[in-house]
Amino acid sequence: MLLDFDRLGWWKWMLVSITALVTLFLLLPIIFIAALSFGSSQWLIFPPPGWTLRWYEDLFADPRWLQSAWVSAKVAGAVTILSVVLGLLASLSLTRGRFRGREALRALFITPMILPVVVLAVALYAFFLRIGLSGTFVGFVLAHLVLALPFSIISISNALEGFDKSIEDAAILCGASPWEARLRVTLPAISHGLFAAAVFSFLVSWDEVVVAIFMASPTLQTLPVKIWTTLRQDLTPVIAAASTLLVLLTVGLMLLSLLVRKALKR
Amino acid sequence: MAIVADTRGNSAFASMSYWRVSGIGYAVPALLLLLAFFVLPVLALLLRSVLEPEPGLGNYAALLGSTTYLRIFLNTFLVSAVVTVLSVVIGFPVAWTLAIMPRRWAAVVFAVILLSMWTNLLARTYAWMVLLQRTGFINRTLINLGVIDQPLALVNNLTGVTIGMTYIMLPFVILPLRGVIKAIDPAIPQAASVCGATRWQCLTRILIPLALPGVAAGALMVFVMSLGYFVTPALLGGTSNMMLAEMIAQFVQSLVNWGMGGAAAFVLLVVTLAIYALQLRLFGVGRLGQQGN
Amino acid sequence: MTAPFLQIRNIRKQYGDVVAVRDVELDIAKGEFMTFLGPSGSGKSTTLYILAGLQEPTSGDILLEGRTLLDTPSHKRNIGMVFQRYTLFPHLSVGENVAFPLRVRRKPKAEIDATVSRALKLVRLEGFADRMPAKMSGGQQQRVALARALAYDPPVLLMDEPLSALDKKLREEIQFEIKRIHQETGVTILYVTHDQEEALRLSDRIAVFSQGEIDQVGTGTELYAEPRTRFVAEFIGDSDFLKGRVERAGDGRADIRLGNGFMVSAVPTHGDAGPGRDVALMLRPERISLFRAEKPRSLAATVRDVTFLGNNTHVQAETETREQVAIRLPFGHESAAGLQSGNAVWLGFDPSSARAFC
């Protein structure tokens, strides 16, 4: 009854209405910033009195925006590679290893994900000030790597748990060397997990604000830091333009992962 | 890299066990990274809270003895509690609908939820800052509709924080709860109905109790995430309505008081870990969701 | 039989172009144990769900003691139901599960307590009231479900393949329990199953469903002795079929010529068996006699397989027209001695024990 959509009577319409409203609520800010980024009103009046590309021109005319986006991309790229490699190795150990304290190790690997980021941000900031990594590229990568690793390990471990180890053994019996077997049999079989790990790692680093705010120096800042500092000054529509591009990037990544998932299924 | 040999003698592969991944070896790089850049810095910060400016629990006494700080703690708990209740109350019917609605429509709602989750946090918060301001879309719409005469103060206060946080937290309730409801056998509410239960009784006596583990897990997660949230409260809350995470940042950045900052961080850490421990005790592993901040 | 207690009137259920239940018509007497027997997808469960109010019919009516049930929602029909899957409420104890229908009816506590212990006693689970469903075996869970369905004294109890998830031994044990409970309570039971043995063991009458329709209703003996369609003949008991053609027909009987020219006269027929019509001649394996030497009025065949099954011997034979015939000989039957594959045999039968279907 309650779990049969067509037998809910008027409750069905109540539930559908709530869901539609919540969906609109979730969609509202995203549509809103996209519309404002093309609106001509400096004061962000909605609906906009006219349309313009001025904010995008402003955005691309300011080299600091492009610089920070470039820094973000470099940091996120490095984090993605390191996070997938370290995550794969750690996941192999966590899913196939037989040693004492394995569960404790798994818990430790997940902890950065569930702890309040501000604690890690403050702690790392203090630590990096001491060892001279604050405001450096390496510092950014290390900090984001700590945050991205749990996502990578969860994605890859899940994929590895779903992979039948005896297939790898069979490849070895067929004459493949252990590493050859892993490269040619296991890696392709868990490629969806590796892909998910890469996407999550990239997004974690690309969108990360809190640690970045503490770590940023005047000469090295990521895109979220640039947005943050601009936001604290005023609500310029240029941020709407930047945000819209970020939304587009998100949509692109979602479509890409959808396509990759479909391709990998075949 | 140490690779411990597989000691199971009955394995058909015992003879080639020297290369098998049986030990901790491959986890060492990740472990070293976390020890150096996670465990060590956090412990160092906590150490500073009892060492600076002088050894002792002075920082904690100052933190818990001042009405200013206590009000911040209270604000944080209050906002987190309200956000949790709102997320669960709004999220439950959505998760329920999502679990049973026709696949095609569910996919649309699902895509919107994922889009909102994956969109840059600052972009979303910026949108709410604009939407909620005095001359913003929401106030103007309400005035045009004749609901209000004067614009409401929706931002730079705890109302704004609550709206923005609920927006961010809703998916974290909806997605796991949907899974819990989907796992319930539809024959169970059918049986309740044949037994004589009205639709309302089916809901309150069967569906909600059966979904309760999911509700509780989602609620605990939202609550604990809200406690330590930094960006949204800082941007939507304004200077006079600080929350815990922002207070920690202020101690460190503006006041350069590492002792107090460390103490406040430690309080947040303990509360967070305590709630997760409670969740593990209640529901076991596997429900720990994803946190993005 | 008394006036129909429960009437199923022309019930039809259609999903788009697919007809799940096609104009089903059935009267059930008070206190009767009626089984809906048929393969999956034959519409028997759908009919039951319509009775329970969990699905609406496209057309037709259901009358209980002369009043329609269709405008009553399922929770007000006061009908009991046991489902195929385990549907105990997992968050409630056994006692609370049985009490559930009484609680939603807001009965006083004393009455609830008394009824719960009576219902648990009925299914022989006294002392299990505080147990949680997850801690019980499948058989026990279905017995609790039975107690829950009977707790509010429903006039009709519906059971949708309640034992299909259990293993054979347990199934037989609970079949016996169900039969006892039926006798003790006198409740009218509608029971759905695809297991003919279960249907024969439990029911007063059986309605055989095929492709959304009831092919035949009757007692087990009637269905076995007088199947009205080939489907019923195949579904209830074992049967052999031989191809033939009607030579002469009349008065519900026909003379039929089999493939090799062999004539069978005066076979009772079902359907429109006019002369020249192709028919299937049905024989029950235990009604066929087997001879080792040629006999007049018998069918020549070759043994292909002999299987000793304890109380009887199963013989698989092939006729000259390459049709397969199964024969069952009781233990110690003289023809069975030394019989082996390749032996030539002659098969005889009484035409009145055969049936012809168009």
Side-chain angles (χ1 to χ4, degrees), chain B residues 185-199 201-202 205-207 209-210, chain C residues 49 54 74-75 79-81 83 85 87-91 100-101 103-106 148 152:
Chain B
D185 187 342
I188 285 178
Q190 278 185 336
S193 173
V194 176
C195 279
T198 63
R199 216 177 272 156
Q201 287 171 324
C202 278
R205 288 167 185 252
I206 304 294
L207 192 65
L210 286 183
Chain C
Y49 272 65
L54 295 172
S74 60
H75 67 271
I79 281 178
M81 184 158 179
F83 291 76
R85 283 171 292 183
T87 55
L88 295 188
F89 309 129
H91 60 295
F100 182 84
R103 289 209 195 287
V104 298
R105 285 175 173 76
R106 314 220 176 278
R148 185 178 67 185
Y152 45 104

Side-chain angles (χ1 to χ4, degrees), chain B residues 248-265:
Chain B
I248 297 171
Q250 288 249 326
F251 275 133
V252 172
Q253 278 191 311
S254 315
L255 308 173
V256 203
N257 187 340
W258 288 98
M260 287 297 275

Side-chain angles (χ1 to χ4, degrees), chain A residues 123 130, chain B residues 39-57 59-60 258-263 265-266 269:
Chain A
R130 239 345 105 94
Chain B
V39 178
L40 180 65
V42 170
L43 288 180
L45 180 69
L46 301 183
L47 214 56
R48 285 175 90 166
S49 76
V50 288
L51 293 178
E52 292 181 18
E54 62 213 27
L57 294 175
N59 289 319
Y60 293 92
W258 288 98
M260 287 297 275
F266 188 59
L269 198 69

